[in-house]
Amino acid sequence: TIQTKPYMRKRTLLILWPTVCLIVLIVFGAYQRYEVKRLEMLKDSLQVQLKYANSTIANYRDIMGYSWNSQNKRVKTNAITLIYQGKKVPFTDVVRKAKRVFVNLSTDNCWPCARYLLGYISKHKQKIELKYIIHYYTEDMLRAFLLYLNIKEKPYLIKDLQYFPIEDSSSPYLFMVTEDEHLSNVLKPLRGDSDLLNTYFSNINN
């Protein structure tokens, strides 16, 4: 009996050792799979962030490029006729009344972009007067646009194709007109970027 104890111990170790090794291998394999999955998720996350960053850079390049090219552009105010509360109004009269920022909108705009801009304006009261100009083609589309934006103030309207110094209708714009009838302070806001709008209005109001 005494001689069988070492034998039994060796036999037990021989049985347990492969089992322990197998458990270690299983745990190590599971850990490796977890690490691979974690790295893949990290890679996907970084790719998404990089794509967003590149998109944002492109947007800022577009914003600054178009805004810069539009600065000091001559405005033929006598060639623009607005409609205000059903009456035709020369743009010349609107420009000369007071120093004001024009919010240039169109039914061709990115509607969520326009809504974001108007939401910002409603939450941040400005010292300077703001006036809305809306380009449209059909009455139905205009009604839908006004309902979507929930504009409280009566806007100036421009129907159909007509000369206007800012030709891009994809996004809303902010601009001013100088006394000698040139564009100034042109900005194409980026949806979601309140800092850009804060800086713009801070410079305008001061």
Side-chain angles (χ1 to χ4, degrees), residues 87-100:
K87 297 180 180 180
K88 291 184 178 180
V89 181
F91 189 44
T92 305
D93 294 348
V94 179
V95 169
R96 289 177 180 172
K97 282 187 177 179
K99 181 182 177 182
R100 53 182 52 158

Side-chain angles (χ1 to χ4, degrees), residues 1-196:
T1 305
I2 295 173
Q3 292 179 351
T4 60
K5 286 183 179 180
Y7 171 75
M8 292 299 292
R9 191 178 296 112
K10 288 181 181 179
R11 186 178 178 184
T12 302
L13 288 173
L14 288 173
I15 295 172
L16 288 176
W17 177 247
T19 304
V20 171
C21 290
L22 181 61
I23 292 172
V24 170
L25 288 173
I26 291 172
V27 171
F28 182 74
Y31 175 76
Q32 287 291 95
R33 286 193 297 273
Y34 167 77
E35 281 296 300
V36 170
K37 187 176 181 179
R38 188 178 68 83
L39 290 173
E40 287 176 348
M41 291 175 64
L42 179 60
K43 178 184 174 183
D44 292 340
S45 175
L46 289 173
Q47 286 178 339
V48 169
Q49 292 181 44
L50 181 61
K51 185 177 180 181
Y52 173 77
N54 289 334
S55 174
T56 302
I57 291 169
N59 283 333
Y60 274 109
R61 191 187 307 120
D62 178 49
I63 289 167
M64 297 308 169
Y66 196 90
S67 298
W68 178 263
N69 292 334
S70 301
Q71 300 296 341
N72 206 36
K73 189 175 181 180
R74 172 76 178 176
V75 184
K76 300 174 185 177
T77 56
N78 58 353
I80 303 170
T81 301
L82 307 175
I83 301 171
Y84 186 70
Q85 295 184 327
K87 297 180 180 180
K88 291 184 178 180
V89 181
F91 189 44
T92 305
D93 294 348
V94 179
V95 169
R96 289 177 180 172
K97 282 187 177 179
K99 181 182 177 182
R100 53 182 52 158
V101 172
F102 293 98
V103 183
N104 190 46
L105 305 168
S106 169
T107 53
D108 289 339
N109 279 169
C110 156
W111 286 29
C113 299
R115 193 174 196 174
Y116 174 80
L117 175 58
L118 267 65
Y120 173 91
I121 290 172
S122 67
K123 292 177 182 177
H124 301 78
K125 300 301 179 184
Q126 306 300 331
K127 296 177 183 177
I128 195 166
E129 185 180 11
L130 279 78
K131 290 296 179 182
Y132 299 93
I133 299 175
I134 300 180
H135 305 249
Y136 75 103
Y137 298 96
T138 67
E139 300 292 339
D140 289 342
M141 187 63 75
L142 176 62
R143 280 193 292 269
F145 192 59
L146 291 173
L147 184 64
Y148 178 80
L149 296 180
N150 192 27
I151 299 178
K152 305 297 183 185
E153 184 180 340
K154 291 289 184 181
Y156 290 92
L157 304 175
I158 297 181
K159 188 175 182 181
D160 299 324
L161 289 175
Q162 188 179 151
Y163 159 78
F164 205 74
I166 298 176
E167 299 170 355
D168 186 356
S169 62
S170 62
S171 298
Y173 279 88
L174 300 170
F175 72 95
M176 298 180 71
V177 180
T178 63
E179 291 182 2
D180 60 350
E181 299 188 346
H182 286 78
L183 286 178
S184 70
N185 298 294
V186 180
L187 178 69
K188 177 182 178 181
L190 182 64
R191 184 174 56 159
D193 192 343
S194 59
D195 290 339
L196 185 62

